[in-house]
Amino acid sequence: MSIIRRDYLDEYDRQQRPDTFPRALAVGIARKAEAMARRFEEQAAAQLVRDAQRALRRGMTPERIAQELGL
């Protein structure tokens, strides 16, 4: 009979083996990320247009607006 616990070796082996990631979950995450990116892009474009229109109303030139927007 040994008084040394060796069950930590089992835990070590589990940490070494990579678990497979469920494909359906990965696909769902990718779709959600794409939808979020699309929505963010639409919001960013709308905000840039609003900012440019506001600047035009204040008399700023289109060239200056483009420069400030980094276009």
Side-chain angles (χ1 to χ4, degrees):
M1 178 182 233
S2 175
I3 59 171
I4 299 173
R5 283 187 32 219
R6 293 192 180 101
D7 57 348
Y8 61 88
L9 293 176
D10 293 334
E11 187 64 33
Y12 179 78
D13 287 341
R14 276 192 289 270
Q15 291 174 357
Q16 296 300 318
R17 283 183 256 141
D19 292 332
T20 58
F21 199 80
R23 185 174 182 82
L25 183 58
V27 169
I29 290 170
R31 285 183 181 152
K32 177 69 174 186
E34 180 184 8
M36 290 172 70
R38 194 176 322 111
R39 184 169 180 224
F40 176 75
E41 183 178 0
E42 290 168 0
Q43 289 175 345
Q47 182 64 47
L48 288 171
V49 169
R50 283 192 301 270
D51 292 345
Q53 288 173 334
R54 192 175 305 119
L56 285 170
R57 282 193 301 270
R58 286 193 315 253
M60 192 178 287
T61 65
E63 293 79 17
R64 177 70 180 162
I65 295 170
Q67 180 184 10
E68 287 194 9
L69 293 176
L71 306 178

